[in-house]
Amino acid sequence: MYDVVIIGSGASGGAVAYTLCKTGYKVAVLEKGRLIRRDEFSKDELAYCRRDLVTPNLFDEYHTIEEKVDGKWVATPTYESGWSFWNGNIVGGSSNLMSGMLHRLHPDDFRLKSKYGEIEGANVVDWPISYEDLEPYYDLTEELVGVSGHYEKHQYEPPRSRAQFTQPPTKENAVVKLLDKSCQKLGIKSLVTPRAVLSRDKGDRNACYYSNFCGSYGCSSGAKSSSREALIKPALATGNLTLLTNTHVKYLHSESKDAVKYAMAVDTVTGKERRIEGKMFVVAAQAHESSRLLLNSANKYHPHGLANTSGEVGKNLIFSGGGSGQGELHKDSLKDIKFEDLMTTGLFVNRSILDWYFVDDWWDGKFKGGSVEFMFEHQNVITRARKNNYKEGKLLWGKELGEHVVKRMTEQKSIRFEIFNDWLPNDDCFVSLDPTHKDKYGMPVGKLRVEGHPQDVKVGKYIAKKCEKILEEMGAKNIYSSVSSAPPQNLVAGGCRFGNDPKTSVLNKYCQAHDVPNLFVADASFMPTGGSVAYTWTIYANAFRVADHIVSVLRTVA
Amino acid sequence: MIKRRHFLILGSILGLSPYVYAKTDDSFERAFKKIEPTLKAVQAHMFPQGSKLPSADAMHVTQFVYETMQHPSFDRDIKAFVIEGAEEFMQRTKGKFLSMTTAEKEKALRAYEETNYGSSWLERIMTLTMEGMFSDPIYGANIKEAGWKSIDSYGGFPRPSTKYMGR
């Protein structure tokens, strides 16, 4: 029997495993995917970005996505739509494939209801912990997992216990001169993006080598601060971690109301089932799958699903609100920088804007806003070559296609922005079990209803307009933005809210199930509200905090 | 949300091709062989010689389409659609596409593009052809990086040492 069994090896599973193994506990990490080692990663666009090779085949494992069509809820299996909600099922999870643009939450994100009051149609609540409770763990993540950057004082930058980042920012493309100058002219403050990519060597991890293909790909130098590189590898080195790959957990078995006894796992290659016993269980399967696992673990002791006395498991699922926009910087109209410097590949844009994190506008009013990241269009060659090859609605081909593609690829570069704002939790965004669809292991698939709140789109559009002005000032052409209520499937949280009241939350403030003391949920499921930044830094930090509590509980039991 | 399966399969006038019901690789091979000359000619029309991009004929893109569709990671609905869309196009052109002049081919393809189904099929063929031409040379259709060189855009390092991550 293991001291702790962790389901999932991504950011949260890795952080819990690292802490426990370093403390001396025997841990099993059950990972559904396989291990891809650093030296096995390549920049193979076809394999990583255009085929399901790091995620399950959608005909084997899928979700059903429920959207409102003509006033009725319609569920579509993802094998029909091709809209995959898997995000990297390999050791280290989706942290292997992230772009790594990270921010901490703001202190007010922990008390959104107190700060902004009720919003009609949204289930906003304050968190049971404060920024001060999480700050030491943000700091730990920054140093241990590795976040490079440069701190500059800004009214919406949260306070830090460490004056400056230990790793300086990654190298930047000359376009930042143009971007900074344009922002300055508009009275906007551009900040250096904290990035989960090492700019200097750290232990056996080598600094970034600026491959030009970062997001969506595994890192071949170890610079990207994935759970696999930063946490699972050192946890394995302690000798206390048993890493079970190709091991999918179908359900957690309990023989009483207050404890999980074992995880029923299936070998994804052989199909053989086995029971894996532990004193404690930590679910870290990514938010929508963690809720599904608890719901699939229903039995006579837990008729509505494990840890679901409150009926809240799966409720208040959140994504990230916002959208994105883009503009083209053309060779013949480029300002301030040389075209060949713009076209230099591999270097980061590394700029964020927090000016609209909280908005108090004379016309639009006072509301919670969001953050913005600037970046180049993803450099994938096939994707870039294939897009926008139309003329008057007809597909271009022949010599005309050649002229068009070569000109676009060699005489311009697209710069884009991504907006992150709160996805307000609401009654029409949740995960439940699909009553008919089952995966290849015979378990009901997760049915996700993914409706956003109208406020999310309003905020996104407000910020998009501001960003379009920046692109205009930069001299970009063909500027457009797209803000919608469609959920970004890689930015998912909620479903197992933490809180002080067992009637309205699934987990206590340590992410321990109110109902089942030997069960924790360590991934982003706990978040009652999501803040207006990508979740990853908060996931790492909170999982370290949860791990410290698990250690204290294990010590008490001993 | 578009329901892909319905759109791709039920959208065809011909209905389900025998290949869709068949389960063995042999049947795919047979079905592909039948449509291969037409597919090759369509790709050649899209990527002719004398363009700023490499020609389809020089880059072995038809072979790429055949191989990539046989990999288990390829979507089975799209695999059927590629075959069936070609069959329908062959039927529409009464098997004469190969012997048409360039102008006649253009007219036939643009006519097919007028239908939602034909437009979708041509989009798919364009995507598959570009996947071959601009993917890593290991996949066999970006010969000597000619695709990358033509647009001065290259894949990153390390390059793959096996196709499809060795899966």
Side-chain angles (χ1 to χ4, degrees), chain A residues 44 51 79-80 390 394, chain B residues 4 46 114 123 131 139:
Chain A
D44 183 346
R51 302 287 184 267
Y79 62 74
E80 279 195 359
Y390 300 91
K394 300 278 186 194
Chain B
R4 182 180 58 183
M46 287 176 160
E114 288 296 318
E123 297 253 2
E131 279 188 351
Y139 291 99

Side-chain angles (χ1 to χ4, degrees), chain B residues 34-42 89-90 93-102 104-105:
Chain B
K34 281 184 191 164
I35 62 111
E36 186 175 4
T38 302
L39 173 62
K40 195 174 167 63
V42 171
F89 182 59
M90 287 160 71
T93 51
K94 301 184 173 63
K96 292 177 182 167
F97 186 71
L98 299 181
S99 57
M100 286 179 182
T101 65
T102 303
E104 287 167 342
K105 282 178 179 165

Side-chain angles (χ1 to χ4, degrees), chain A residues 126-372:
Chain A
D126 289 348
W127 290 29
I129 62 169
S130 68
Y131 177 78
E132 288 69 33
D133 293 317
L134 207 52
E135 200 287 331
Y137 298 100
Y138 276 124
D139 183 67
L140 176 67
T141 305
E142 187 176 305
E143 200 283 325
L144 177 68
V145 180
V147 183
S148 58
H150 178 79
Y151 173 72
E152 216 176 323
K153 203 168 165 49
H154 183 277
Q155 59 175 331
Y156 298 137
E157 272 285 12
R160 299 165 49 87
S161 55
R162 187 190 305 260
Q164 194 49 271
F165 287 80
T166 51
Q167 290 247 340
T170 48
K171 291 180 197 165
E172 294 164 352
N173 185 284
V175 79
V176 297
K177 289 180 201 161
L178 179 57
L179 178 54
D180 289 345
K181 190 177 166 184
S182 302
C183 285
Q184 204 173 6
K185 197 164 174 192
L186 295 168
I188 294 163
K189 179 71 186 164
S190 53
L191 297 164
V192 172
T193 304
R195 193 173 287 274
V197 172
L198 302 180
S199 55
R200 291 179 180 161
D201 294 351
K202 178 176 167 58
D204 77 333
R205 295 168 57 195
N206 300 318
C208 179
Y209 65 104
Y210 304 97
S211 72
N212 201 33
F213 297 88
C214 186
S216 305
Y217 292 95
C219 181
S220 299
S221 73
K224 193 186 287 184
S225 298
S226 68
S227 167
R228 177 187 48 79
E229 281 289 348
L231 301 168
I232 298 289
K233 275 175 76 175
L236 281 167
T238 65
N240 291 325
L241 175 61
T242 303
L243 176 62
L244 298 170
T245 58
N246 300 317
T247 302
H248 172 60
V249 176
K250 293 172 69 173
Y251 59 87
L252 297 173
H253 178 79
S254 50
E255 294 178 356
S256 65
K257 282 193 169 182
D258 57 0
V260 173
K261 188 167 171 62
Y262 60 81
M264 179 56 84
V266 57
D267 185 310
T268 60
V269 178
T270 64
K272 198 174 169 186
E273 292 191 354
R274 65 185 284 201
R275 298 171 178 186
I276 299 167
E277 295 194 17
K279 293 177 193 161
M280 293 208 178
F281 291 82
V282 178
V283 177
Q286 201 158 50
H288 49 315
E289 282 298 295
S290 290
S291 281
R292 176 195 171 208
L293 177 59
L294 297 187
L295 294 171
N296 268 333
S297 302
N299 66 9
K300 67 176 179 180
Y301 304 105
H302 304 277
H304 305 295
L306 194 59
N308 197 22
T309 301
S310 64
E312 287 293 313
V313 171
K315 303 280 175 66
N316 293 303
L317 194 71
I318 49 177
F319 293 89
S320 177
S324 62
Q326 191 158 306
E328 299 163 358
L329 296 171
H330 287 217
K331 185 179 184 177
D332 56 9
S333 59
L334 187 63
K335 297 192 294 184
D336 298 328
I337 59 171
K338 289 181 184 167
F339 185 68
E340 51 270 34
D341 290 340
L342 173 70
M343 297 301 274
T344 301
T345 59
L347 306 178
F348 291 97
V349 177
N350 261 5
R351 286 295 182 274
S352 310
I353 294 172
L354 296 181
D355 284 16
W356 311 298
Y357 207 82
F358 299 99
V359 178
D360 191 354
D361 189 291
W362 69 274
W363 176 258
D364 292 281
K366 191 174 176 182
F367 55 91
K368 173 72 193 298
S371 65
V372 179

